[in-house]
Amino acid sequence: MTTERTKACIIDRVGMERTLARLAAEIVERNRGAGNIALIGIRTRGAPLAHRLAKLISSLEGGKNIPVGILDITLYRDDYLISRKTPKVRATEIPFDIQDRAVVLVDDVLYTGRTVRAAIDAVLDYGRPDRIQLAVLVDRGGREMPVAGDFVGKKLVTSPGEEVRVHLEEVDGRDEVIIVELSSESA
Amino acid sequence: MSPHNKIDLEPPVLTHLLGLDGVPEPVITEILDTAENFLAVLERPIPKVPSLRGVTVANLFFENSTRTRISFELAEKRLSADTINFSTSGSSVAKGETLLDTVKNIEAMKVDVVVMRHWAAGSSKFLADRIDAKVVNAGDGTHEHPTQGLLDMLTIRRKLGALKGLKVLILGDIAHSRVARSNIFGLLNCGAEVKVCGPATLIPREAESLGVEVIPDLDEGLKWCNVVNVLRLQLERMSQGLIPSLRDYQRRYGLTRLRLEKAAKDIVVMHPGPMNRGVEIDSNVADGPWSVILSQVKHGVAVRMAALFLISGREKDEG
Amino acid sequence: MSNFRINLQQTGWHCLTDERIAFIGARLIDPQINLDAVQDIIIESGRIAHIGKFPANWQGERIKAAGNIICPGFFDMHTHLREPGFEHKESVLSGCLAAAAGGFTGVACMPNTDPAIDTPGIVQFIRQQAEGQPVEVHPVAAVTKGRKGEVLSEMVELAECGVTAFSDDGSPVASAGLMRRAMEYAKMLKAVIIEHCEEPTLTANGVMHEGAFSTRLGLPGWPSVGEELAVQRNISLAGYTGGRLHIAHISTRAGAELVRRAKQEGMNITAEVTPQHLTLTCEMLTGYDSDFKVNPPLRETEDCEILLQALADGVIDCIATDHAPHTDDEKAVEFIRAPFGMLGLETALGVIYTKLVLSGKLSLTRFIDAMSVKPRQILNLPAATIAVGAPANLTIFDPNLKWTVDRNKMNSKSHNTPFHSWELTGRAVGVVNRGIVWMIKQALLCYPEQSEVSRPLFQMSASLRSA
Ligand SMILES: [Zn+2]
C-alpha cells in the first residue's frame, strides 16, 4: 500500500503565471525574436504549457502567430519492451514543417532526461530543425542522461521518495506545483 | 467466450493475436485506435519509429500469400523490428519435419514474435500453446485471419464512423473464408450487424450460430447494408463440385455496377484481394466510387503495426 | 508371461498365483442369474469353488473385499491393440495391461493392423501374444482382404480358427454390394459383421462433428447424416440377407433411432456405444486439442442424451471403448492432420460409473450387463457367470474409490486420453481370469489394518517373491 502526503507547494497559481511569463521572455530573448520559433509540447502536460507559452510569446511579439505542435513519445520510449504495462499511443500533431526552425520542446518536469531523449528522436523523424531547445516548468534533478533545460522555471532538489506533481488548469482544474512524499507503509 | 485468446479485461490485454472470436470490444478498439496513430506515422517524411528495436519477428508462411507477407514485413520494418522470413509450400513437410519442429528450430534463433500463415485451421493456437514466442495469426486455414478482419474494421470506421449499429453484408464463399469469420466475430463484438450472402453450398449449414443472418438474395442484401465485403472465390470450389461454374456463380452473386445502382444508396465496397475481376466483382465496381479497396491495403500495414506493437509490449502470461 | 508380470509390478500391480483365494464380504452382482448379494466367494484352481458363508476351516489366501463389487469380467468388444505393425502405439501385452487396469478380462481387437488381421496366422500370432495373461484377446478379422474393400477375406478358414466376428473397422465397407455378400457369407458361418457406419462421400475430409462448432472453428465437418445413411443401409442389408449386423460406436441420435425402430420390427441387430460418445461433446474441441479427435466424432449434448436413453433401455446393447492409442508425437500436429482415436480401456469404468451410474441415469445391473454380459453374447463367446463350478472370470471394482485421470500415468503405451484430469469415482481393483488373480496394490492399500482376515497385499507379494 503506497500512501502519499503533500509536503510542500512550490508554485501556486500566481507563481505559475509569473514563471511562464519569464520563460516566454527568455525564449524570445535567446532566439532574438520569435521569427523562427515553433513550440512542441510533450504529452500530456507539456501540451497546454506549450499553448500558454505560445500565447505569451505572441503577445510579446506583437500578435505574431507562433506554431504549436503536440508530441506523443510512446513509440520512442526506451522502456517499452521492459515495462509491465503498455501506455496508450496517442496522436502526435505537428501541423507545420519543422525544417530549419528553432524547435522548443516544452514539458512540465525534467527528471531522468529519458523523455527528452525520446522527444528529440521523434522530432528528428519529422525533419531537420535548425536547433532544438528545451523549456520545462520544473527541473527536479536526478538525471540519467546528459540533458539540460535551456529554459527552466524552477530548479528543485528532490529525493527518490518524493514526486513532483504539476497540476494545470486545462488538465487538472487548477494551477500548482507540489511535492508529495511517497511512503510504502501498509495501512 | 472462446478460449483462443488470453484476455484480461482490466486493462484489456492481448498476449497473442490468434483470432477475433471472443475478443471484446475494448481490445479491438485499442488496436484500431493505435492503428490510427500508425497511419499518421506512415504519412511522415520518415515513416518509421524505433518502438520494436531489438525485437525479432519471424514470418512463417506455410501457404503462399505475397500480399499478407509484404504487409507484415513492411509493418515490422516501420517498427524497426528485425525480421526473418520462412516460406514453404510443403517442402519441409515433404522432408518429414513437423510444424512444431520447424517452428521450434526457428524459435531457437531467439525469435520474439511469430507471424504465421498456415493452411490448417487451429495451427496458430497449436503454436501458441507450445512455444514461448508470441504468435500473430496471419491466416489459419478456413478459421481466422484477424489482421484482415481488423483492417476491414478500421477501413469501415474511417469511412463511416463508429462500427456500432452499422450493417455489413459479407458476400461469397463464407464456408471456406477465414476473412469472413474474423469479420463476423470482430464486427459483432463491436456492435455491428452482419448478414451473409452466397450460394447455399458455400454458406455453412449452421452459419446463424455465429450470430449472423443468411440472406440468399444479393439485391435484398444490398438494399439492407451500408457496407458489402466481397470475398474472393477460390477457383477450386468448382472442382470440388460446390458450384457448377464461375458463370453460374456470377449470375446470382457477382457484384456488378447494375446491382449497386439498383440499390440506389451509398454502399461501401470492400474486397480482401486478390480479386477475380468479372467473377465476384466487376472492374467498374472495384475501381469505382464505391470502392475502398486500396485504402484497405494501406490500413493493413497500420493495423499490423498496431497488433505487433501491442503484443510485443506485454510479458507472456502476464497476469 | 514373465515379461508381463514385471510390467505389472512396475506399475503397481500384484499377481497372486495361489491356488486358493477367497474374497470376503464383497457385493456379488451377476445380472444373468439375478444375483445381487453380499457373499464370500472362493476360487480354487481357477474355478469358483464356493459362494456363501466362509467355511471356518478353509486354508488359503483371504482378501477382505467389503465395499467392493465383484461381477462377471468386463469385456471390451472394440479395442485397437495396434499389433502387428504399430507397436510404438500399443502392443498386445501393453493393451492387456491397460485392459486389466481398467477391469477388463477380455477384449476383441480390431483388424486395422499392418498387415491387417485377415489370415489365421495373424489371428494365432495375436492370441499367442496374450497367452498367460488374465485378459483374453479375441481378434476380429477383416471383412475384406487387407481391409481394402475389394474382395472378401477367407472367412471360412478364419472362422475355423475361432474368429466369430468380422469388421473392416477403421473404415466402413463402402460398397453396398460387397456388404451384402459379406453378410450372406458370414451368416453361413454364424458370425457377426461389426460395421463402422460412415458414408464416405459425405464425410470426406471431415475431422469433427458438423455443426455450430465446426463452423466457428473452420474445421471440415463430419455430419450426422453420414452415420444415419450408413446405419440405414446396413440395417436394410441385414434385413434383406438375414445376416447378423453389429453397429460399432454409434454416435448420433438418428442412428440410435434407426436401431430402435429396427429392433421394434424384430430384427436381429445389435449396437454398441463408447464412453466418449456418452459423455463428451464437440464443444470440447474449441482448443483444437487433438486428444478429442475421434471417428466418429464427438457430437452434441442431445446426441449424448438420446444415446444414453437407448443404452439404458437396451436399444443399444453394450458399451465398447474403441480404445485407439496414438503417440504424443503423432497427435502433436495440425488438428486436421492428427490421427483419429482416443484411449478408453483404463477410463471406461470410472467415466461411466461416475457420470451415468452415480447420477442415477444408468442402473448398476444394466451397467454390468452392458460391460460384460452383452459383449460376450454378441460375439458368441462363452458367458462369464458367478456360479459354483464356473471358471472364475471376474472383475473386482471399488465403487467408492476416488481417483484422478492422469494422461502421464497410463498403463497403455500411449497417453491420448480426453479424460485427463477428470476426477472419477469407481475403479477396478483387480481381475480374475484364466486362473490368474491380479490386484492393484494402490487400490487395496486403501484398506489398511485388516489383518484378521487378510494380510496386506504388499506383504503377500514379498512372500511370493521370496518363494
Ligand atoms: Zn471405427
Side-chain angles (χ1 to χ4, degrees):
Chain A
M1 199 62 185
T2 309
T3 57
E4 58 175 67
R5 186 180 70 82
T6 304
K7 194 179 160 197
C9 179
I10 305 303
I11 302 177
D12 60 9
R13 206 176 65 81
V14 179
M16 181 96 67
E17 267 173 37
R18 217 179 286 135
T19 306
L20 288 175
R22 176 169 59 76
L23 287 176
E26 282 179 23
I27 292 168
V28 173
E29 188 188 351
R30 179 86 61 89
N31 290 291
R32 297 190 181 85
N36 204 22
I37 292 176
L39 300 182
I40 295 181
I42 301 172
R43 279 192 191 274
T44 306
R45 288 182 181 74
L49 286 176
H51 281 289
R52 286 199 212 177
L53 284 172
K55 206 180 276 172
L56 291 166
I57 292 169
S58 174
S59 63
L60 289 175
E61 290 289 295
K64 186 179 182 327
N65 186 34
I66 308 295
V68 179
I70 299 168
L71 186 65
D72 183 77
I73 56 125
T74 310
L75 298 172
Y76 290 82
R77 288 172 66 129
D78 59 4
D79 62 348
Y80 175 65
L81 295 170
I82 52 172
S83 78
R84 299 289 289 177
K85 55 180 200 272
T86 307
K88 210 171 155 53
V89 182
R90 284 170 305 174
T92 289
E93 293 155 20
I94 302 181
F96 50 85
D97 189 357
I98 64 165
Q99 198 72 25
D100 299 327
R101 279 195 186 269
V103 168
V104 181
L105 289 171
V106 182
D107 206 358
D108 53 350
V109 179
L110 175 58
Y111 182 30
T112 62
R114 287 176 190 270
T115 302
V116 177
R117 193 282 310 158
I120 293 169
D121 280 352
V123 166
L124 291 178
D125 280 352
Y126 284 82
R128 186 183 182 279
D130 187 48
R131 70 201 95 130
I132 299 177
Q133 297 168 329
L134 175 64
V136 293
L137 194 57
V138 178
D139 176 354
R140 62 168 290 196
R143 213 76 77 243
E144 292 167 8
M145 288 198 176
V147 168
D150 299 275
F151 314 104
V152 176
K154 188 141 192 144
K155 256 198 164 88
L156 297 173
V157 180
T158 57
S159 61
E162 293 172 343
E163 237 173 57
V164 175
R165 294 275 162 80
V166 173
H167 295 134
L168 296 178
E169 187 73 45
E170 297 89 328
V171 184
D172 313 287
R174 61 190 184 284
D175 279 345
E176 64 177 11
V177 179
I178 57 172
I179 295 182
V180 296
E181 219 171 20
L182 301 176
S183 51
S184 41
E185 296 145 26
S186 49
Chain B
M1 196 169 80
S2 120
H4 296 187
N5 294 298
K6 185 178 149 33
I7 293 160
D8 299 332
L9 281 173
E10 293 268 320
V13 162
L14 203 58
T15 41
H16 301 286
L17 182 60
L18 307 181
L20 298 183
D21 189 4
V23 178
E25 183 273 329
V27 177
I28 292 177
T29 300
E30 186 192 22
I31 301 172
L32 298 185
D33 288 350
T34 306
E36 298 263 10
N37 290 307
F38 282 118
L39 273 178
V41 168
L42 294 172
E43 298 293 331
R44 295 182 339 195
I46 299 176
K48 179 165 177 152
V49 289
S51 315
L52 298 193
R53 277 177 58 206
V55 171
T56 306
V57 183
N59 299 307
L60 312 184
F61 278 67
F62 293 88
E63 190 183 68
N64 272 337
S65 172
T66 312
R67 285 158 180 266
T68 305
R69 207 196 62 223
I70 286 177
S71 181
F72 266 107
E73 259 188 85
L74 191 58
E76 290 147 13
K77 296 198 153 109
R78 298 293 194 224
L79 289 166
S80 306
D82 296 313
T83 64
I84 51 174
N85 294 312
F86 173 89
S87 296
T88 174
S89 29
S91 64
S92 76
V93 164
K95 283 178 210 148
E97 190 175 59
T98 65
L99 170 62
L100 194 55
D101 282 336
T102 305
V103 176
K104 288 235 172 207
N105 266 288
I106 290 163
E107 199 194 17
M109 301 173 204
K110 210 192 151 306
V111 163
D112 303 291
V113 180
V114 169
V115 172
M116 184 171 74
R117 160 65 62 92
H118 197 284
W119 50 266
S123 47
S124 59
K125 161 76 175 151
F126 172 84
L127 270 202
D129 287 345
R130 287 168 178 80
I131 67 172
D132 292 327
K134 290 159 185 179
V135 177
V136 176
N137 179 5
D140 62 332
T142 51
H143 178 224
E144 283 221 48
H145 190 359
T147 55
Q148 179 72 44
L150 289 165
L151 78 88
D152 288 346
M153 290 164 76
L154 181 65
T155 306
I156 297 172
R157 203 176 80 163
R158 284 179 67 83
K159 186 82 186 171
L160 300 176
L163 294 167
K164 198 168 164 31
L166 279 181
K167 296 179 167 70
V168 180
L169 183 72
I170 304 178
L171 171 63
D173 183 1
I174 309 296
H176 302 92
S177 174
R178 50 188 166 225
V179 176
R181 278 176 186 73
S182 287
N183 264 280
I184 289 169
F185 297 137
L187 286 165
L188 292 179
N189 291 350
C190 289
E193 276 181 75
V194 182
K195 293 191 185 187
V196 297
C197 178
T201 48
L202 298 178
I203 303 279
R205 253 175 65 83
E206 315 261 348
E208 287 177 355
S209 67
L210 300 175
V212 302
E213 205 179 294
V214 179
I215 188 159
D217 186 82
L218 177 53
D219 292 325
E220 229 172 89
L222 291 175
K223 235 175 270 167
W224 170 80
C225 72
N226 307 112
V227 178
V228 56
N229 199 343
V230 187
L231 302 174
R232 176 178 166 76
L233 183 71
Q234 303 285 345
L235 303 184
E236 75 210 56
R237 303 297 165 236
M238 268 191 306
S239 58
Q240 291 168 332
L242 293 169
I243 52 166
S245 68
L246 296 182
R247 216 175 128 259
D248 213 53
Y249 178 89
Q250 196 273 342
R251 280 178 84 89
R252 196 166 154 91
Y253 294 106
L255 189 63
T256 60
R257 183 184 183 146
L258 202 69
R259 287 185 188 276
L260 281 169
E261 281 171 355
K262 205 162 83 185
K265 56 187 282 231
D266 288 334
I267 295 177
V268 176
V269 175
M270 307 204 296
H271 190 297
M275 291 180 276
N276 297 305
R277 287 170 183 263
V279 182
E280 72 263 9
I281 191 166
D282 273 8
S283 275
N284 50 20
V285 173
D287 306 331
W290 305 273
S291 166
V292 291
I293 294 170
L294 288 178
S295 344
Q296 284 176 272
V297 176
K298 187 171 79 181
H299 296 160
V301 178
V303 153
R304 288 174 179 124
M305 287 174 82
L308 289 163
F309 174 79
L310 288 173
I311 68 161
S312 298
R314 270 103 182 199
E315 294 295 309
K316 198 180 178 180
D317 294 325
E318 183 181 336
Chain C
M1 158 120 196
S2 59
N3 202 6
F4 188 48
R5 183 186 299 163
I6 290 162
N7 265 340
L8 288 183
Q9 286 175 346
Q10 278 169 350
T11 51
W13 282 69
H14 285 258
C15 168
L16 306 181
T17 51
D18 292 54
E19 297 273 284
R20 299 149 69 88
I21 303 262
F23 291 96
I24 316 288
R27 181 176 170 195
L28 309 185
I29 303 180
D30 184 349
Q32 297 161 105
I33 51 170
N34 289 323
L35 170 67
D36 184 351
V38 174
Q39 304 240 288
D40 303 335
I41 182 166
I42 294 176
I43 296 153
E44 292 182 3
S45 305
R47 290 191 175 269
I48 297 172
H50 179 84
I51 298 171
K53 196 169 158 38
F54 187 70
N57 58 348
W58 188 79
Q59 298 289 313
E61 294 297 346
R62 305 167 192 198
I63 299 173
K64 184 167 182 182
N68 288 285
I69 291 172
I70 295 182
C71 60
F74 291 160
F75 191 97
D76 182 18
M77 66 172 296
H78 196 135
T79 295
H80 297 270
L81 293 182
R82 303 297 189 210
E83 191 176 357
F86 307 103
E87 292 83 354
H88 58 291
K89 302 173 195 256
E90 196 81 285
S91 64
V92 173
L93 283 181
S94 68
C96 283
L97 178 57
F104 291 95
T105 63
V107 301
C109 63
M110 286 297 164
N112 56 340
T113 48
D114 185 19
I117 307 176
D118 60 359
T119 59
I122 299 168
V123 171
Q124 302 289 15
F125 164 78
I126 292 169
R127 286 202 190 121
Q128 273 164 21
Q129 298 305 104
E131 249 166 43
Q133 310 310 326
V135 179
E136 307 154 32
V137 174
H138 296 271
V140 173
V143 173
T144 62
K145 274 187 189 146
R147 293 176 53 256
K148 290 197 182 115
E150 290 160 3
V151 292
L152 295 181
S153 59
E154 290 167 332
M155 289 191 191
V156 169
E157 197 184 8
L158 287 159
E160 279 170 2
C161 115
V163 170
T164 61
F166 295 88
S167 178
D168 273 359
D169 186 69
S171 18
V173 176
S175 153
L178 189 59
M179 181 52 111
R180 170 197 173 165
R181 301 305 176 199
M183 283 183 181
E184 287 169 343
Y185 208 75
K187 182 188 176 193
M188 162 184 99
L189 303 166
K190 296 194 168 57
V192 59
I193 300 279
I194 302 173
E195 179 64 346
H196 168 124
C197 290
E198 172 178 353
E199 169 47 52
T201 58
L202 282 170
T203 63
N205 307 321
V207 295
M208 72 174 289
H209 172 63
E210 181 170 296
F213 286 95
S214 66
T215 303
R216 184 162 286 262
L217 295 170
L219 289 171
W222 192 133
S224 293
V225 71
E227 176 171 290
E228 185 183 351
L229 272 187
V231 169
Q232 182 57 63
R233 182 200 81 171
N234 294 318
I235 288 175
S236 298
L237 288 173
Y240 191 68
T241 60
R244 271 278 292 117
L245 168 68
H246 175 78
I247 293 166
H249 43 53
I250 196 161
S251 69
T252 61
R253 50 196 120 148
E257 284 312 311
L258 287 171
V259 173
R260 182 186 299 276
R261 221 172 304 146
K263 285 194 164 185
Q264 277 165 0
E265 288 165 13
M267 284 185 64
N268 185 20
I269 63 163
T270 51
E272 74 194 25
V273 63
T274 69
Q276 54 268 27
H277 290 111
L278 289 165
T279 58
L280 307 178
T281 60
C282 56
E283 192 175 343
M284 296 168 179
L285 288 157
T286 46
Y288 294 96
D289 183 345
S290 60
D291 281 349
F292 289 86
K293 181 174 173 181
V294 66
N295 187 9
L298 303 177
R299 304 286 181 188
E300 293 167 358
T301 313
E302 258 194 305
D303 293 289
C304 294
E305 282 164 4
I306 287 175
L307 291 172
L308 169 61
Q309 191 51 52
L311 174 67
D313 61 24
V315 165
I316 293 174
D317 300 80
C318 69
I319 297 165
T321 70
D322 196 8
H323 179 81
H326 294 291
T327 65
D328 286 349
D329 284 344
E330 291 166 326
K331 281 282 192 180
V333 295
E334 300 87 335
F335 189 89
I336 288 174
R337 259 196 192 151
F340 291 100
M342 44 180 67
L343 299 184
L345 285 169
E346 293 174 70
T347 48
L349 194 176
V351 167
I352 299 287
Y353 192 82
T354 307
K355 294 292 164 188
L356 305 184
V357 179
L358 278 183
S359 64
K361 295 171 183 162
L362 188 68
S363 75
L364 182 58
T365 42
R366 175 69 186 114
F367 166 63
I368 292 167
D369 182 48
M371 290 287 279
S372 56
V373 180
K374 285 293 187 300
R376 288 189 172 84
Q377 285 174 0
I378 292 166
L379 293 176
N380 236 337
L381 298 171
T385 45
I386 303 185
V388 173
N393 184 340
L394 306 169
T395 294
I396 305 143
F397 73 93
D398 180 346
N400 298 311
L401 186 60
K402 292 192 187 336
W403 63 292
T404 306
V405 181
D406 183 343
R407 75 189 307 284
N408 299 312
K409 288 183 183 159
M410 290 298 184
N411 292 289
S412 166
K413 277 190 186 177
S414 296
H415 311 285
N416 55 312
T417 175
F419 299 107
H420 176 66
S421 81
W422 278 40
E423 287 175 8
L424 299 178
T425 304
R427 189 173 190 178
V429 299
V431 292
V432 182
N433 194 15
R434 292 168 152 183
I436 304 165
V437 182
W438 297 95
M439 302 300 292
I440 299 175
K441 178 168 67 176
Q442 234 175 341
L444 280 149
L445 284 177
C446 296
Y447 303 92
E449 305 304 319
Q450 299 170 343
S451 48
E452 292 235 331
V453 186
S454 76
R455 285 171 281 150
L457 279 194
F458 55 91
Q459 284 182 18
M460 193 184 295
S461 115
S463 74
L464 279 175
R465 233 176 284 137
S466 62

